[in-house]
Amino acid sequence: MSKPPFISILGSTGSVGQNTLEVLKQNSAYSVYALSAHQNVELLLEQCKQHNPVYAVVTDAASVEKFSRLLSNAECQTELLTAADALQRIASAAEVDAVMAAIVGGAGLASTLAAVAAGKRVLLANKESLVMSGDLFMASALNSGATIIPIDSEHNAVFQCLPLNARGLDSSQMTDVDKIVLTASGGPFLDTPVEQLNRITPEQACNHPKWDMGQKISVDSATMMNKGLEFIEASYLFGVGAAQIEVLIHPQSIVHSMVYYRDGSVLAQLANPDMRIPIAYGLAYPQRMPSGAPTLNLAEIGVLEFRTPDLERFPCLALGIEAAKQGGTVPTLLNAANEEAVAAFLNGAISFTQIPLINEAVMSKIPCEAALSLAIIQDADEQARSLSKELILKDFH
């Protein structure tokens, strides 16, 4: 019997990484080649003990020594990699068949691109890497023969609803598609009076009514910046313009997205709000395998509600749509500004309603360029982060 193929999980201690390992516990689809974490080295050690990866990577310099001590006292054969390019190495190693790209934010860009350039099956949970690098990302995948399977529940739903011949990287196969509809829960403040939003605390923003996610993504869901980034991601991933993408508020989070066809048909993917479902789909594609998620019971749910999003209530969504229309380095600027603004909010430096103000200011103050190279993208990212920090200290503190 042949050994299962190898997978590297970038960001194994985060929500998606942990769910990936939960799915793998129930299935022998893959063996774990490598795991990575930023600071949560205690959990990383437990994961190494359970899954015995060949390598582990810790990206926070201050946590490397601590993990090294823990690992030396543990009964597992995992080797700690400490080189600056360690993430890229475990993402592109010849032995690796698939990569779960689950590092949050721009920090996951280099390793995700390394996996794409190496022609891996990339399970893309790090939407920011595609938001930032856009056409370069997709061109690299086309050139290397990489398979890109989106893991965000919305894009995974679209992927499942597309014809088989349109699930690759050739947008010419999308001719029968009229539009893509991304659904959004609306987050915890869907019906909160607008005048109360400036008093929202980080704890309230991280208390999502449907999904269990990390802090940054939870705040993005509360502002609907998450959906703005997903709007940009969908335009690149499926080769459609902004005019062919819509967003609908769906508080129950059961219909994860829909594809409208030119003959009037609408295909939707339904499931309980559980990240193990898209993860299992990505791991087993084109087959299916158990995810461990509970079976959907529509009679018990009873009602599925849909609303048009209020862009005045959710200005971050409007900014994401505008960035998708402009293209170039604008999505990179927006993503970087948002990461800095969310971090400042979580640290108590700015209010909840100042997040979109910082995002908009950065988008308007830094000129857009054509995103022709990774160097241009990285420079735009650095400019946006520098300006965001300056605004937070001087104008919004």
Side-chain angles (χ1 to χ4, degrees):
M1 185 175 178
S2 61
K3 186 178 179 181
F6 268 132
I7 184 170
S8 287
I9 303 176
L10 311 179
S12 65
T13 59
S15 175
V16 171
Q18 291 184 60
N19 276 306
T20 302
L21 291 173
E22 284 298 316
V23 174
L24 290 178
K25 283 180 185 177
Q26 303 179 61
N27 304 275
S28 57
Y30 288 93
S31 291
V32 178
Y33 179 77
L35 300 174
S36 85
H38 185 54
Q39 292 179 320
N40 194 351
V41 293
E42 290 86 358
L43 178 55
L44 178 62
L45 180 69
E46 291 306 311
Q47 292 176 341
C48 289
K49 289 178 180 178
Q50 289 183 36
H51 299 277
N52 199 32
V54 179
Y55 297 110
V57 175
V58 176
T59 55
D60 176 55
S63 301
V64 170
E65 185 179 344
K66 180 180 180 180
F67 182 72
S68 180
R69 289 197 309 270
L70 291 172
L71 189 62
S72 65
N73 294 324
E75 293 183 3
C76 63
Q77 303 303 310
T78 301
E79 179 184 343
L80 173 62
L81 297 181
T82 58
D85 65 346
L87 281 179
Q88 290 93 307
R89 177 177 167 184
I90 64 172
S92 60
E95 298 92 333
V96 172
D97 301 281
V99 175
M100 171 59 79
I103 295 173
V104 176
L109 176 62
S111 53
T112 304
L113 284 178
V116 171
K120 306 301 183 184
R121 170 181 290 213
V122 180
L123 310 183
L124 185 65
N126 168 241
K127 70 175 69 66
E128 293 88 351
S129 60
L130 181 52
V131 167
M132 292 173 69
S133 59
D135 291 330
L136 281 177
F137 185 108
M138 299 309 292
S140 178
L142 190 63
N143 183 60
S144 69
T147 300
I148 310 298
I149 302 179
I151 300 301
D152 274 343
S153 62
E154 297 81 4
H155 300 85
N156 189 271
V158 172
F159 190 85
Q160 293 192 47
C161 292
L162 290 174
L164 285 173
N165 64 351
R167 295 182 186 181
L169 302 167
D170 183 0
S171 60
S172 67
Q173 301 298 322
M174 296 283 287
T175 53
D176 288 336
V177 173
D178 183 30
K179 66 179 178 180
I180 288 169
V181 176
L182 304 175
T183 58
S185 69
F189 311 127
L190 179 59
D191 297 311
T192 301
V194 174
E195 62 272 15
Q196 295 180 15
L197 293 179
N198 66 334
R199 299 195 295 272
I200 294 299
T201 67
E203 292 74 22
Q204 290 172 319
C206 291
N207 186 23
H208 196 280
K210 293 293 180 182
W211 295 95
D212 180 15
M213 305 176 290
Q215 284 189 318
K216 194 269 181 182
I217 299 176
S218 294
V219 175
D220 281 351
S221 181
T223 64
M224 282 194 70
M225 186 74 261
N226 203 39
K227 206 56 51 180
L229 296 175
E230 288 172 6
F231 192 102
I232 299 166
E233 182 184 8
S235 68
Y236 289 123
L237 195 57
F238 304 116
V240 294
Q244 284 182 275
I245 307 171
E246 291 182 10
V247 174
L248 274 181
I249 301 289
H250 173 49
Q252 293 78 24
S253 296
I254 296 299
V255 177
H256 295 288
S257 279
M258 296 171 270
V259 176
Y260 281 62
Y261 288 88
R262 62 180 179 176
D263 63 0
S265 299
V266 181
L267 299 187
Q269 188 263 344
L270 284 69
N272 283 312
D274 191 315
M275 281 305 298
R276 290 174 294 179
I277 295 172
I279 289 168
Y281 181 84
L283 289 169
Y285 178 81
Q287 280 78 44
R288 304 267 179 171
M289 68 184 190
S291 68
T295 302
L296 180 64
N297 186 332
L298 286 173
E300 187 177 90
I301 294 165
V303 175
L304 299 177
E305 177 189 2
F306 300 91
R307 311 184 204 174
T308 300
D310 180 354
L311 296 183
E312 291 187 5
R313 171 182 286 273
F314 297 113
C316 281
L317 174 58
L319 293 174
I321 294 170
E322 180 59 29
K325 292 176 180 177
Q326 291 191 38
T329 55
V330 176
T332 300
L333 300 175
L334 175 58
N335 177 72
N338 184 68
E339 286 189 24
E340 297 298 332
V342 170
F345 167 67
L346 288 170
N347 290 329
I350 63 171
S351 70
F352 182 77
T353 52
Q354 287 177 322
I355 294 173
L357 299 179
I358 292 167
N359 293 344
E360 184 175 20
V362 171
M363 283 177 63
S364 64
K365 290 177 181 293
I366 300 177
C368 172
E369 295 184 64
L372 299 176
S373 69
L374 185 57
I376 291 173
I377 292 166
Q378 290 172 329
D379 181 62
D381 179 78
E382 290 174 7
Q383 287 187 61
R385 291 180 191 279
S386 177
L387 178 57
S388 299
K389 290 173 182 175
E390 182 181 328
L391 292 171
I392 289 165
L393 284 173
K394 292 184 180 179
D395 298 336
F396 290 92
H397 192 63

